[in-house]
Amino acid sequence: MALLSILTPVLAAILCLVIGFMMVKSQQSEAPTTAEGKTKGASKTPVRPWVDQDLQDDSEITTGGGDDNDWDDSNEEEDLAHVPYSPPRYLEEKMLQRSKDFYTLMNQRRTVRFISPEPVPREVIDNVILTAGTAPSGAHTEPWTFVVVSDLDMKHQIRLIVEEEEEMNYRQRMGDKWVTDLAKLRTNWIKEYLDVAPYLILIFKQTYGMVPNSKKKTHYYNEISVSISCGILLAALQNVGLVTVTSTPLNCGPQLRHLLKRPVNEKLLMLLPVGYPATDATVPDLKRKRLDDIMVKI
């Protein structure tokens, strides 16, 4: 009994130490993460390989954040005029033919990583971006910015940023399964086309807008709106005989935003190298799903 009375305080002290240690470790694992991906109060941050660290870019600001006085709640276009709309209407036979022709055109679209350095008329690029700007957007906020890069030095700086992060993605972040799934497409972190393509188009979504009184304007459904715009841009490029690869540079957004001097309300969504296909370009022999595999009739 005397021995037990001596050991009981010792065991209680050990138990308290164990509980205290576990609580400290728990607090460290839940510590806030900075825009650079480093955890405050911890020397190393566990990285989920499929998570894009761009999500930690402090440009991601929503209506619910900050001072309410920072946001513009006026409605200057309450009495926006409506005008007649009468697009062309085709006979059924012509409509059917046009639908087939457009499908044939778009079915030829492929992701191409072998791009020619041959110059492309700048006016063509201007027109395809104007076409992308016809996309619908939440409350007609048009929350997109298209940065067109043709400067050789700037293209190379972009390549260096992308390749550095992509090598880390392939070696550490993406995980074995993702890398294995990509192996058949013969992709890696080397992005030569970023130097070679005559144009790089970087598409940024505006998480909010700015009005003349320096207040913020809500951009509803900004990511969906810009994604639709990107789809129209791909169709416009296909229409003029240009190719691209739909690149979403994982973990490069903040660096590229700073490099291109874009404001904090813009966040990189997609990067498209654009040009003619190289004369020796090849693409994987992929097959698309049949209509019955992608459509449900009710």
Side-chain angles (χ1 to χ4, degrees):
M1 292 297 292
L3 178 62
L4 182 60
S5 63
I6 294 173
L7 289 178
T8 298
V10 175
L11 292 173
I14 293 174
L15 181 60
C16 289
L17 287 172
V18 171
I19 293 175
F21 177 76
M22 293 175 64
M23 290 178 66
V24 169
K25 293 295 289 182
S26 175
Q27 289 175 355
Q28 288 182 347
S29 65
E30 296 174 0
T33 306
T34 65
E36 288 76 22
K38 298 178 181 178
T39 302
K40 297 177 181 178
S43 59
K44 186 176 180 181
T45 304
V47 178
R48 293 174 58 192
W50 58 89
V51 172
D52 187 347
Q53 292 180 2
D54 293 354
L55 297 177
Q56 299 164 0
D57 182 2
D58 56 12
S59 68
E60 182 65 18
I61 301 175
T62 60
T63 311
D67 190 339
D68 289 341
N69 293 328
D70 292 341
W71 294 87
D72 181 72
D73 58 0
S74 63
N75 192 356
E76 297 177 359
E77 297 184 347
E78 186 175 356
D79 297 323
L80 181 65
H82 283 57
V83 296
Y85 177 66
S86 182
R89 178 163 179 166
Y90 305 100
L91 296 175
E92 288 188 10
E93 182 179 352
K94 182 69 171 178
M95 186 190 305
L96 179 60
Q97 187 60 50
R98 286 175 64 88
S99 68
K100 289 180 178 179
D101 290 345
F102 190 69
Y103 166 70
T104 300
L105 172 68
M106 294 309 300
N107 194 37
Q108 295 170 357
R109 189 211 59 78
R110 298 299 303 269
T111 292
V112 178
R113 293 177 171 83
F114 304 96
I115 300 177
S116 169
E118 181 183 354
V120 173
R122 179 56 191 258
E123 189 175 0
V124 171
I125 301 300
D126 293 347
N127 287 335
V128 297
I129 290 179
L130 278 172
T131 304
T134 66
S137 59
H140 193 60
T141 52
E142 301 178 296
W144 39 69
T145 300
F146 300 90
V147 178
V148 180
V149 179
S150 58
D151 179 79
L152 295 179
D153 181 63
M154 182 62 74
K155 287 193 297 181
H156 188 64
Q157 289 185 63
I158 291 172
R159 178 183 178 181
L160 293 178
I161 290 173
V162 171
E163 287 188 341
E164 180 181 9
E165 290 296 333
E166 278 287 82
E167 182 175 5
M168 193 175 300
N169 292 334
Y170 272 83
R171 293 187 183 279
Q172 299 179 24
R173 299 185 181 117
M174 290 164 57
D176 292 341
K177 185 179 187 309
W178 192 345
V179 173
T180 300
D181 288 343
L182 289 174
K184 63 183 178 183
L185 303 178
R186 302 178 189 173
T187 68
N188 55 43
W189 58 83
I190 305 300
K191 313 293 182 184
E192 183 180 355
Y193 50 74
L194 295 177
D195 272 328
V196 175
Y199 295 103
L200 303 182
I201 303 178
L202 295 93
I203 302 100
F204 288 82
K205 72 169 190 175
Q206 301 168 7
T207 55
Y208 59 85
M210 298 298 295
V211 294
N213 62 7
S214 299
K215 289 193 174 184
K216 300 172 185 176
K217 177 181 179 181
T218 304
H219 278 176
Y220 307 97
Y221 301 109
N222 54 75
E223 183 156 338
I224 295 175
S225 300
V226 180
S227 297
I228 295 172
S229 181
C230 289
I232 295 176
L233 177 59
L234 293 175
L237 291 170
Q238 180 70 16
N239 183 56
V240 297
L242 298 176
V243 298
T244 188
V245 47
T246 49
S247 167
T248 51
L250 191 68
N251 298 309
C252 299
Q255 295 180 71
L256 294 177
R257 178 167 63 80
H258 288 301
L259 175 66
L260 298 170
K261 296 180 171 59
R262 301 311 308 157
V264 295
N265 65 317
E266 294 186 1
K267 178 179 174 183
L268 182 65
L269 193 67
M270 194 174 294
L271 189 164
L272 303 179
V274 172
Y276 299 107
T279 55
D280 58 350
T282 61
V283 295
D285 187 17
L286 302 175
K287 307 299 179 185
R288 291 191 167 95
K289 292 181 178 180
R290 299 176 302 114
L291 179 63
D292 290 343
D293 295 327
I294 63 174
M295 181 177 70
V296 176
K297 296 179 180 178
I298 298 177

